[in-house]
Amino acid sequence: MAVQGARLGRWIVDDAGISFAYARNIAEGHGPVVQAGAPPVEGYSNPTWVGLLAIGRLLGLFDHGAWFGIPDYVLFPKALGLLCVIGILSCFYAACLAVLPNRMVAAVVTAMAGTALAFVPTFVLWTFSGLENSFYALLVTAVAVLLLRSVAEDTDRLLSRRTAAVVGVLVALAALTRPDGLIYGVVYPAVVLLVVDRRRVRDVLRPIGFFAAFAFGLYGSYVLWRRFEFGRWLPNTAVAKAQASPSASDLNRVSDVLQYPGLVISLVAIGIVVAAAVAMPALRRPLTALLVPLALALLAYCVLNADWMGQLRFSTPVWPLAVLATAVCAARLVVKPGLRRRIGLVGSLAGAVYLAQGVTGPMPGESVAQPVAPLCVVADESGELFNSLADLAGVQNGSLLLPDLGGTALTSRLRLRDTAGLVDAKVADYLSAKDSNGLRDYIFDVMQPTFIQTHGEWSPTLMAGSGFDPRMLGDYAQIYPRSPDPASPWGGSEWVRKSALKDPADLAKLRDFAETAMPGQARFEQRTPDGDCSDRLQVGERLALH
């Protein structure tokens, strides 16, 4: 897994930079804000991950410089991801010990399952992206394995207060790592009701209540603090993204997951699990404890809005649970007497792997050539670029409206305004209400940002009909068009508010600088795909021209 992760190089996805910025400001005593002095807005949905990053910064391990020539804003989150992978493999081993004959078999199966997981591109990609995926996957896997071990040992252990409390804490942490983690609030009651004898109905009520007290008590405490601190019951990111109500048709998205590793591999894996459950009744209850969290992980993926970053980002917990279930069932079938059965199982697995070659998603090495929204590139092209433009124009206390916030928040000295609404509560409200007219009025009449950066799918925010809002064209001057058609709102471009320019000659200075600095010029042709940043991203950094 570490080797696969290393193939991603220094790539960190830009969205992770939002969490980095919040962690920096919390550690520096500015509170939960994206920039020092900004109003508190919960522009993150992963408070546990932000907390881990803030602790790392307080300890001098993150956002301070470089380790062995690698910036710690790259190495520290990747190291956390690797530690989470080690934790997941430890969970694998604990599960194998509970249902397999001896330690040797458990160790071999764990090694094989870990190797299989390392060849799931989406899992590797998001584990080492700088986002919370690895920690989230660890928490969900730990819940599943704890339930499996409790069921395998004795239903009394499953119904113990200790098990209920630990599972409750893990579920609360999962819900505070990703909003969809709240779905695991039903995992303990579901497993208990499925595996415990119906004649013991009275016995299950107390542990379920105990679980609920820990899970929803801890999570509820944070929600109350959120309401007090930010004035919302939901994270601002959830408001901005306007999650649609679930529908039955959402379940069709499970095909995304089945087809990702190749339909043949998915069907063989399902066949192995079914065969083991049929052939070995004693395995059914422990397997239930594993399959319930897996089903919930799939359900969460199906009902969430599709993610613009692709590569099945919200499916991360699915893969360790699916790999573990398949590995355990395959191992139990292999050790079960019967040479014909063993040969058939090994042949089916080998055939599935062979037929699936070329069907799986892009491997980490391929993702390096065209990385998804690299943090460093955004810091370069948005944060540092506009710092330089503001200095050239003599703008001291300006603002910047743009959709890419991560690297920008770590470097910009301008007050950031967010086209996507993640860190701007007012914009989030307009997006949630789908009030595009009101949003444009707010941007051009109230917000009046000094600089604007537009590109791609975020351009419609500033459009009226098929072109830019007349106020955009009247109040702003285009600095540099990134598309062949300068008038096209769909191409990326940098804009400056005309009233912010003290001297008409300043616009020519900005355009001359942008002509040298923007993509397509020699400086950008020489950079690596994931950018060329300094060892520490600091507020106020200017774009370095070589």
Side-chain angles (χ1 to χ4, degrees):
M1 185 69 74
V3 173
Q4 291 283 65
R7 295 173 66 189
L8 294 170
R10 298 189 179 191
W11 172 76
I12 294 288
V13 73
D14 183 62
D15 270 30
I18 299 175
S19 299
F20 295 0
Y22 273 96
R24 170 192 287 179
N25 288 312
I26 290 171
E28 290 182 347
H30 302 299
V33 294
V34 72
Q35 289 179 295
V41 176
E42 193 179 15
Y44 55 90
S45 56
N46 52 358
T48 56
W49 186 249
V50 170
L52 290 174
L53 295 172
I55 291 171
R57 194 180 192 286
L58 289 170
L59 295 176
L61 303 175
F62 175 66
D63 195 31
H64 281 274
W67 300 359
F68 314 111
I70 301 175
D72 59 11
Y73 60 80
V74 171
L75 201 52
F76 182 72
K78 287 182 181 288
L80 285 181
L82 184 59
L83 287 174
C84 290
V85 169
I86 293 172
I88 289 171
L89 295 181
S90 299
C91 289
F92 279 13
Y93 183 64
C96 290
L97 285 177
V99 295
L100 296 179
N102 54 59
R103 293 179 179 273
M104 179 63 71
V105 174
V108 170
V109 172
T110 298
M112 294 179 68
T115 301
L117 194 58
F119 283 90
V120 179
T122 178
F123 182 81
V124 177
L125 187 70
W126 297 117
T127 289
F128 297 102
S129 67
L131 289 170
E132 70 284 347
N133 295 59
S134 57
F135 188 52
Y136 185 48
L138 171 60
L139 291 169
V140 176
T141 304
V143 167
V145 171
L146 178 58
L147 292 172
L148 180 148
R149 287 180 60 87
S150 299
V151 173
E153 182 177 313
D154 185 1
T155 53
D156 286 338
R157 179 180 173 183
L158 176 66
L159 299 177
S160 70
R161 288 187 176 183
R162 179 179 179 180
T163 299
V166 174
V167 173
V169 170
L170 291 173
V171 166
L173 291 174
L176 294 173
T177 303
R178 276 208 50 80
D180 45 296
L182 192 59
I183 197 172
Y184 298 100
V186 303
V187 69
Y188 182 78
V191 171
V192 167
L193 293 174
L194 286 171
V195 304
V196 175
D197 193 307
R198 294 181 181 179
R199 290 172 293 185
R200 300 185 62 185
V201 172
R202 291 184 179 180
D203 295 337
V204 308
L205 296 179
R206 183 173 295 177
I208 288 176
F210 210 64
F211 159 80
F214 274 85
F216 297 107
L218 291 173
Y219 179 74
S221 297
Y222 180 84
V223 171
L224 289 175
W225 175 81
R226 170 188 290 152
R227 177 67 179 176
F228 175 79
E229 179 70 19
F230 304 111
R232 292 194 188 276
W233 292 110
L234 296 173
N236 194 68
T237 54
V239 177
K241 293 177 180 179
Q243 170 67 43
S245 300
S247 66
S249 61
D250 291 334
L251 297 178
N252 294 330
R253 294 185 62 208
V254 74
S255 62
D256 298 346
V257 178
L258 294 176
Q259 293 176 11
Y260 186 81
L263 193 57
V264 175
I265 282 186
S266 296
L267 292 177
V268 168
I270 292 170
I272 288 171
V273 173
V274 172
V278 171
M280 289 165 283
L283 185 61
R284 293 174 190 170
R285 287 188 175 185
L287 193 56
T288 298
L290 192 56
L291 294 180
V292 168
L294 175 57
L296 292 173
L298 285 167
L299 181 61
Y301 171 79
C302 289
V303 301
L304 285 172
N305 289 344
D307 182 53
W308 69 269
M309 287 187 261
Q311 279 286 311
L312 279 67
R313 180 164 75 95
F314 296 146
S315 70
T316 305
V318 169
W319 306 107
L321 297 179
V323 166
L324 178 59
T326 305
V328 166
C329 290
R332 285 293 297 265
L333 289 171
V334 167
V335 299
K336 187 176 176 66
L339 181 61
R340 184 178 300 176
R341 180 183 293 105
R342 296 179 186 179
I343 293 175
L345 178 64
V346 173
S348 298
L349 287 171
V353 171
Y354 176 77
L355 291 173
Q357 292 300 313
V359 180
T360 56
M363 292 306 293
E366 300 172 47
S367 299
V368 174
Q370 294 183 319
V372 178
L375 169 74
C376 187
V377 171
V378 172
D380 208 4
E381 295 184 14
S382 299
E384 295 175 8
L385 170 66
F386 279 98
N387 285 342
S388 300
L389 294 175
D391 289 347
L392 282 172
V395 174
Q396 298 300 317
N397 299 304
S399 57
L400 169 61
L401 174 69
L402 78 173
D404 300 317
L405 263 291
T408 313
L410 293 168
T411 54
S412 181
R413 70 171 181 81
L414 300 169
R415 176 65 63 217
L416 295 182
R417 310 309 297 261
D418 179 13
T419 313
L422 300 181
V423 301
D424 192 313
K426 192 70 174 177
V427 173
D429 288 336
Y430 282 115
L431 291 173
S432 179
K434 295 181 170 55
D435 183 2
S436 56
N437 292 330
L439 177 55
R440 287 198 305 275
D441 290 342
Y442 174 66
I443 290 174
F444 293 116
D445 298 338
V446 180
M447 186 190 296
Q448 299 184 347
T450 312
F451 295 95
I452 296 177
Q453 186 178 65
T454 63
H455 65 76
E457 63 183 272
W458 295 109
S459 296
T461 304
L462 306 172
M463 291 168 61
S466 60
F468 279 123
D469 187 291
R471 289 166 290 186
M472 177 80 164
L473 300 175
D475 297 341
Y476 290 84
Q478 192 175 47
I479 300 173
Y480 183 85
R482 301 195 192 193
S483 66
D485 180 5
S488 171
W490 298 101
S493 188
E494 283 65 39
W495 303 73
V496 61
R497 190 169 182 82
K498 295 174 183 177
S499 61
L501 299 176
K502 301 174 183 177
D503 186 334
D506 288 342
L507 181 58
K509 292 180 185 178
L510 299 183
R511 286 173 171 168
D512 289 342
F513 180 85
E515 188 73 30
T516 305
M518 296 310 294
Q521 306 304 319
R523 188 183 73 83
F524 282 86
E525 293 169 357
Q526 296 171 359
R527 77 175 186 200
T528 60
D530 49 9
D532 295 306
C533 289
S534 59
D535 288 344
R536 186 180 178 196
L537 297 176
Q538 301 183 72
V539 173
E541 284 188 15
R542 296 185 59 178
L543 192 62
L545 299 181
H546 302 292

